[in-house]
């Protein structure tokens, strides 16, 4: 696989209107664990080794502050800064030390459609959760973030040329992009606005996705789409609308690929009428989730 300097998707920073309520939800129900806090932010880890995978920031309205990747070498930061500017993006800051929990050195960029992406090297690692009962039912990490795009071709070109992503599959509505062996770390959905579509948290297996769906249901957060098994990426899914209408997904079984993966096109990924997943058990996405998927923007 052509080496991407982007490394691994690590975390997403989001603005929330009620920090305490959001922390209660993401720890008590979604099953992350608070690992650090500042005056107006909370940092949450999964069961994997990343210092945090989600940070919640007190704000007037929900938004996305940044999506952060953990890169393999300090040289990758310089390469990303140079390639960003050569391909229509903006260098926002760095490389410079990160002044927040998790640390490391980061370069922050904005892509041509205004998404703020941060690439960090030398960030802190924690021991993966040793506690079996915790690992069994906690998200390990974020496995993909999906962005709506007013022009997917523009965004796709930037992710390919500036950040070294490869196209894994293109359906009628979405471009699935990879930067390592995960089938996709980013997907770009055709839309009329540049908003956040959803954030996917990977669980240990299908049973953990199902138990998570039950836990959400018990707490009053119904399934908005799923449970089912996707076509591209082959992952199982269950989607919810969390606090502030962030769309969040429990997923598992994400297809691992290498250079031999044959990129699929729209004609490879069609469903029979009335079918929304491989199993044929999922109903279509709810109207609520379709609305929520268009609401949240990146910070200006
Ligand atoms: Fe997803």
């Amino acid at each position: 696989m052509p080496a991407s300097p982007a490394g691994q998707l690590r975390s997403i920073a989001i603005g929330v209107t009620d920090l305490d309520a959001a922390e209660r939800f993401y720890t008590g129900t979604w099953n992350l664990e608070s690992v650090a806090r500042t005056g107006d932010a909370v940092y949450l880890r999964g069961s994997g080794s990343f210092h945090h995978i989600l940070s919640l920031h007190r704000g007037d309205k929900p938004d996305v502050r940044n999506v952060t990747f953990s890169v393999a070498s300090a040289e990758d930061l310089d390469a990303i800064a140079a390639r960003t500017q050569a391909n229509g993006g903006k260098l926002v800051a760095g490389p410079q030390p990160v002044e927040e929990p998790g640390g490391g050195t980061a370069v922050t960029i904005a892509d041509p459609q205004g998404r703020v992406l941060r690439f960090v090297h030398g960030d802190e690692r924690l021991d993966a959760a040793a506690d079996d009962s915790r690992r069994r039912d906690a998200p390990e990490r974020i496995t993909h973030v999906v962005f709506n795009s007013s022009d997917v071709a523009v965004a796709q070109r930037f992710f390919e040329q500036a950040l070294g992503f490869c196209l894994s599959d293109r359906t009628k509505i979405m471009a699935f992009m990879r930067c390592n062996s995960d089938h996709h770390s980013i997907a770009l959905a055709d839309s009329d606005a540049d908003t956040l579509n959803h954030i996917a948290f990977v669980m240990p297996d299908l049973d953990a996705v199902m138990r998570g769906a039950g836990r959400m249901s018990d707490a009053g957060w119904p399934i908005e789409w799923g449970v089912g098994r996707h076509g591209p990426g082959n992952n199982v899914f269950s989607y919810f609308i969390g606090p502030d209408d962030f769309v969040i997904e429990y997923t598992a079984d994400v297809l691992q690929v290498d250079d031999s993966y044959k990129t699929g096109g729209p004609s490879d990924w069609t469903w029979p009428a009335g079918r929304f997943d491989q199993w044929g058990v999922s109903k279509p996405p709810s109207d609520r989730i379709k609305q929520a998927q268009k609401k949240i923007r990146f910070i200006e």
Side-chain angles (χ1 to χ4, degrees):
M1 180 178 311
S4 165
Q8 277 195 295
L9 179 59
R10 186 196 75 174
S11 57
I12 182 166
I14 61 174
V16 295
T17 57
D18 185 336
L19 185 59
D20 294 340
E23 182 182 8
R24 276 197 304 279
F25 167 78
Y26 282 108
T27 56
T29 303
W30 199 246
N31 264 5
L32 303 180
E33 191 179 339
S34 302
V35 70
R37 71 183 64 242
T38 61
D40 55 9
V42 178
Y43 296 79
L44 304 163
R45 68 170 294 186
S47 63
S49 61
F50 287 135
H51 176 270
H52 61 275
I53 62 172
L54 178 69
S55 59
L56 309 171
H57 302 258
R58 198 189 311 275
D60 297 332
K61 59 178 175 25
D63 56 20
V64 179
R65 307 295 173 94
N66 67 64
V67 172
T68 296
F69 292 79
S70 182
V71 309
S73 79
E75 291 74 46
D76 289 336
L77 301 179
D78 297 321
I80 288 167
R83 287 167 65 168
T84 289
Q85 295 175 101
N87 287 284
K90 195 167 89 181
L91 177 61
V92 176
Q96 63 188 28
V98 175
E99 303 292 338
E100 65 173 345
T105 302
V107 65
T108 305
I109 66 163
D111 80 4
Q113 294 171 333
R115 302 177 191 87
V116 181
L117 307 173
R118 192 169 62 163
F119 300 86
V120 60
H121 174 66
D123 51 322
E124 197 177 330
R125 290 290 190 279
L126 306 172
D127 290 335
D131 171 356
D132 275 350
S133 63
R134 187 178 140 54
R135 208 170 45 219
R136 180 173 176 264
D137 277 309
E140 182 198 348
R141 61 187 170 90
I142 291 175
T143 182
H144 60 261
V145 177
V146 176
F147 302 126
N148 295 317
S149 175
S150 54
D151 189 336
V152 165
V154 167
Q156 178 180 336
R157 198 177 318 120
F158 182 80
F159 275 91
E160 288 172 342
Q161 294 180 357
L163 304 174
F165 279 63
C166 289
L167 181 68
S168 288
D169 280 295
R170 181 65 161 104
T171 66
K172 206 169 100 193
I173 56 163
M174 214 176 270
F176 294 82
M177 313 284 301
R178 70 177 183 271
C179 59
N180 53 48
S181 62
D182 283 344
H183 175 271
H184 55 287
S185 293
I186 293 290
L188 303 162
D190 295 300
S191 184
D192 48 9
D194 299 316
T195 52
L196 174 70
N197 186 293
H198 71 269
I199 310 163
F201 295 77
V202 68
M203 299 293 263
D205 53 28
L206 169 59
D207 261 55
V209 170
M210 298 301 272
R211 286 192 300 270
R215 194 169 56 245
M216 287 288 283
S217 172
D218 287 347
W221 306 89
I223 295 175
E224 301 287 346
W225 186 27
V227 177
R229 186 180 286 280
H230 280 310
N234 198 47
N235 46 317
V236 295
F237 63 88
S238 186
Y239 289 83
F240 308 89
I241 302 174
D244 281 321
D245 286 355
F246 281 89
V247 176
I248 48 181
E249 175 188 3
Y250 278 145
T251 190
D253 289 358
V254 179
L255 185 67
Q256 299 296 296
V257 301
D258 60 20
D259 282 345
S260 67
Y261 186 74
K262 185 176 170 301
T263 305
S267 62
D268 297 310
W269 297 110
T270 57
W271 298 116
R275 175 65 72 106
F276 296 91
D277 81 302
Q278 291 192 44
W279 297 327
V281 300
S282 177
K283 296 198 169 45
S286 70
D287 288 337
R288 279 189 72 220
I289 201 170
K290 288 192 224 164
Q291 295 308 313
Q293 283 175 328
K294 296 180 175 177
K295 281 169 76 165
I296 295 178
R297 295 178 177 274
F298 271 80
I299 197 164
E300 304 272 307

